[in-house]
Amino acid sequence: MATTLNMSSAANRENLFGPDKKTDDIVNRASGLDNHGLVGFQRQIMKEQDEGLEKLEETVTSTKHIALAVNEELTLHTKLLDDLDEHVDVTNSRLQTVQRKLAFLNKRTKGGCSCLILLVIAIVILIVVIWGLFKYL
């Protein structure tokens, strides 16, 4: 089972990253070296790995800063949404209060037609009176 997992892991690695050309290159370069040459070659490989790790560290640090900035932005947006939700709740309660008052007023005026007719008659009388006053001036 372990052999199957290792083979599967190697196949997945090749699918993700492509064939490992560096390993083949390293084996070819190290095949003709003596012990002293192998030690130098290992140091060179470790130096290259250290450089790669430094680049990886820079990338991780940059990603960390981006993640922190995104977190701050999300925190701000969450606060803004909470404030908006609170304002919507307050406005909704006010609107419900006004609707109840309007419903009560509508029931008191029995549909509001008589009140509206009286208002129109009063406006017409006011216009006639004002027009009559301007006629004499």
Side-chain angles (χ1 to χ4, degrees):
M1 185 168 162
T3 307
T4 306
L5 287 175
N6 286 337
M7 290 175 63
S8 169
S9 174
N12 286 338
R13 179 180 169 82
E14 277 193 31
N15 286 339
L16 290 173
F17 301 113
D20 193 5
K21 296 177 183 174
K22 278 192 169 183
T23 305
D24 296 336
D25 183 42
I26 290 171
V27 169
N28 289 336
R29 287 172 43 195
S31 62
L33 298 175
D34 61 351
N35 286 341
H36 184 63
L38 265 172
V39 170
F41 185 61
Q42 285 178 337
R43 287 184 180 154
Q44 180 186 357
I45 290 175
M46 288 186 344
K47 182 180 177 185
E48 290 173 3
Q49 288 175 344
D50 286 344
E51 290 171 358
L53 287 174
E54 287 173 2
K55 289 180 183 176
L56 180 62
E57 179 187 18
E58 290 173 8
T59 303
V60 168
T61 302
S62 173
T63 304
K64 176 187 172 187
H65 291 301
I66 291 170
L68 290 173
V70 167
N71 183 40
E72 286 179 30
E73 192 73 21
L74 286 174
T75 302
L76 174 65
H77 283 230
T78 301
K79 183 178 178 186
L80 290 173
L81 286 172
D82 289 343
D83 289 346
L84 178 65
D85 186 43
E86 183 180 327
H87 284 61
V88 166
D89 287 343
V90 168
T91 303
N92 185 35
S93 68
R94 287 179 182 170
L95 183 61
Q96 287 176 350
T97 303
V98 169
Q99 285 176 336
R100 278 193 302 271
K101 288 179 181 180
L102 284 174
F104 178 73
L105 182 64
N106 190 27
K107 285 180 183 177
R108 279 188 64 180
T109 58
K110 297 179 184 175
C113 289
S114 60
C115 185
L116 184 64
I117 291 171
L118 289 174
L119 180 65
V120 170
I121 291 172
I123 290 174
V124 169
I125 291 172
L126 184 64
I127 290 173
V128 168
V129 169
I130 291 174
W131 185 56
L133 287 175
F134 281 122
K135 193 174 180 181
Y136 289 111
L137 290 176

